[in-house]
Amino acid sequence: MQDKIKAIEQEIEHFEVKDKESLEQFRLAFVNRKSKVADLFNYMRDVPNEEKKSMGQLLNGLKQLAEAKFKAEQDRLMQLQSSDSSRHEDLTLPPMPGTEGGLHPITVVKNRFVDIFERMGFNVSEGPEIEDDWHNFTALNFPENHPAREMQDTFFIEKNPDIALRTHTSSVQVRVMENAKPPIRTLSPGRVFRNEAISARAHCVFHQMEGLYINKGVSFKDLKDTLYHFAKEMFHKDTKVRFRPSYFPFTEPSAEMDISCQICGGKGCNICKHSGWVEIGGAGMVDPNVLKNCGIDPEEYTGFAFGMGIERIAMLKYQIKDLRLFTENDVRFLEQFRHLS
Ligand code: DAH
């Protein structure tokens, strides 16, 4: 009897509970009413009286051992199971809505711009945000001390007046013209900087899209055709365009480009100051001096250029009334553009 108890004790100790099934096997073997342990109690009647007490104690010890192990293993399995189910998500559930990011409206407009012009054979060129005087001004026909430089409230570097934060991406056109031979069709998107107080209508950092086409025989008609096409693609096929004479040092003739107000459709509202038109940028035929400065023969080639503010276009397209929203990164604002990405 004592040997049997010892043997079962060993069995209990070595029994490995791995899962629910083996726990059940353990229960049937050692805890159940018909288990090996319960069975031993039937043999108690054959034990001589003087040994009954000590044998009873041994047997009860065995029973407690089996029950304690059963309880401990059961708890362990339950704990495992609950941490397991939190680790294995239900892969059939639909994804949580609203956790995905999207493109910034400035990026959306920039991409659309690039799409429209890529189909007309334009490539994309980029340049440095910290520029020298030559690329930002002098090559673009801004004579030194010319008042036109004042138009562009420039951030200069205090220690070196030759270095500034670029005030327009026209500087990238200079870099392209210096390094490539016509025909040139390029679009230059990028950040530009001007010393302006921040308000709903002005910011010291914004984005421009500059376009340049240089080839033999490029005319003002090409400029108008291209920008008409752009306006209809970017906004709406019924969008109207008009050009007003203007002045830029780097183009001659120069024009400012208006489109029919996207809010009132040209009837007049407070966004277009009741004129029916809103300005979206400048344009013109590249001044022969600029071509010469960049190593292109103005007798052989002509070209047109234009520059637009990307924020401005986004504001008109999505009816955004405050420029500051673009840089505040308020998710309530950004979320509204997620579907456009
Ligand atoms: N660079 C001008 C500005 O920032 C915009 C501009 C006007 C660019 C006419 C051009 C252009 O290329 O032809 O105000």
Side-chain angles (χ1 to χ4, degrees):
M1 178 85 170
Q2 213 167 345
D3 292 345
K4 268 201 182 146
I5 292 176
K6 273 263 160 311
I8 294 175
E9 197 178 279
Q10 292 281 310
E11 265 185 74
I12 291 174
E13 263 158 13
H14 292 133
F15 193 102
E16 218 184 312
V17 176
K18 288 189 238 103
D19 47 24
K20 267 192 189 162
E21 284 72 42
S22 49
L23 181 70
E24 180 61 4
Q25 279 163 13
F26 182 88
R27 192 184 70 83
L28 291 174
F30 307 107
V31 184
N32 193 26
R33 264 193 311 122
K34 290 180 179 162
S35 71
K36 290 177 192 180
V37 179
D39 198 36
L40 279 184
F41 281 90
N42 295 328
Y43 292 98
M44 275 300 283
R45 35 187 143 95
D46 306 332
V47 175
N49 273 348
E50 60 276 20
E51 289 175 29
K52 267 203 167 71
K53 192 176 169 201
S54 61
M55 203 58 80
Q57 280 172 348
L58 275 180
L59 205 50
N60 272 326
L62 185 70
K63 186 174 173 238
Q64 279 160 12
L65 178 76
E67 283 170 357
K69 176 154 178 167
F70 176 73
K71 177 92 182 62
E73 293 294 342
Q74 194 179 36
D75 288 351
R76 188 177 64 86
L77 281 187
M78 263 180 20
Q79 233 172 23
L80 261 182
Q81 206 186 19
S82 66
S83 58
D84 243 25
S85 62
S86 63
R87 241 183 291 134
H88 296 293
E89 280 115 28
D90 180 353
L91 298 179
T92 62
L93 284 174
M96 290 283 281
T99 50
E100 232 176 77
L103 295 182
H104 192 281
I106 295 298
T107 309
V108 173
V109 169
K110 186 192 94 176
N111 290 350
R112 177 129 186 82
F113 226 119
V114 171
D115 278 352
I116 295 168
F117 278 88
E118 261 177 359
R119 274 181 265 136
M120 293 191 273
F122 281 62
N123 63 15
V124 173
S125 49
E126 286 182 338
E129 291 177 351
I130 302 171
E131 261 303 1
D132 50 38
D133 180 276
W134 171 256
H135 290 97
N136 198 79
F137 292 120
T138 305
L140 287 163
N141 206 30
F142 285 82
E144 233 167 287
N145 304 319
H146 190 279
R149 291 188 184 219
E150 308 293 310
M151 279 161 62
Q152 307 223 356
D153 309 303
T154 312
F155 283 119
F156 287 101
I157 307 291
E158 215 174 312
K159 285 190 184 145
N160 184 353
D162 189 46
I163 306 291
L165 295 179
R166 68 179 176 198
T167 58
H168 50 187
T169 49
S170 309
S171 56
V172 183
Q173 298 185 350
V174 175
R175 290 178 178 276
V176 172
M177 287 191 278
E178 283 173 338
N179 292 302
K181 284 202 165 19
I184 294 170
R185 288 183 194 85
T186 195
L187 212 53
S188 315
R191 260 196 308 192
V192 299
F193 307 85
R194 293 192 194 176
N195 192 0
E196 304 241 17
I198 296 172
S199 72
R201 305 176 54 100
H203 208 291
C204 56
V205 183
F206 57 100
H207 297 77
Q208 274 192 342
M209 184 64 87
E210 192 87 17
L212 175 71
Y213 174 40
I214 301 197
N215 208 345
K216 288 183 179 157
V218 177
S219 70
F220 204 89
K221 178 184 186 300
D222 298 319
L223 164 64
K224 287 176 91 174
D225 281 349
T226 307
L227 293 179
Y228 279 141
H229 173 73
F230 161 76
K232 289 172 199 300
E233 290 285 308
M234 176 59 89
F235 296 99
H236 190 267
K237 64 176 176 18
D238 298 329
T239 302
K240 292 192 187 63
V241 177
R242 75 174 186 189
F243 291 90
R244 283 176 290 109
S246 186
Y247 168 76
F248 299 103
F250 35 89
T251 43
E252 184 58 37
S254 303
E256 258 158 337
M257 175 182 174
D258 295 343
I259 57 165
S260 48
C261 179
Q262 299 298 299
I263 314 294
C264 63
K267 288 193 201 78
C269 65
N270 51 5
I271 298 293
C272 60
K273 300 197 193 93
H274 302 282
S275 71
W277 297 97
V278 283
E279 186 200 320
I280 64 164
M285 300 305 291
V286 181
D287 193 291
N289 280 339
V290 174
L291 295 176
K292 236 184 282 166
N293 287 340
C294 301
I296 293 172
D297 181 0
E299 300 295 325
E300 197 178 352
Y301 293 104
T302 50
F304 69 70
F306 60 85
M308 296 180 203
I310 300 182
E311 278 81 354
R312 172 117 211 171
I313 291 180
M315 287 171 99
L316 292 171
K317 201 165 159 63
Y318 302 123
Q319 301 173 17
I320 299 163
K321 296 208 175 72
D322 192 328
L323 252 179
R324 290 168 291 198
L325 287 164
F326 291 117
T327 42
E328 281 166 354
N329 281 340
D330 186 330
V331 284
R332 290 168 303 179
F333 171 71
L334 297 174
E335 246 166 19
Q336 298 175 57
F337 302 94
R338 201 166 45 211
H339 66 286
L340 296 170
S341 306

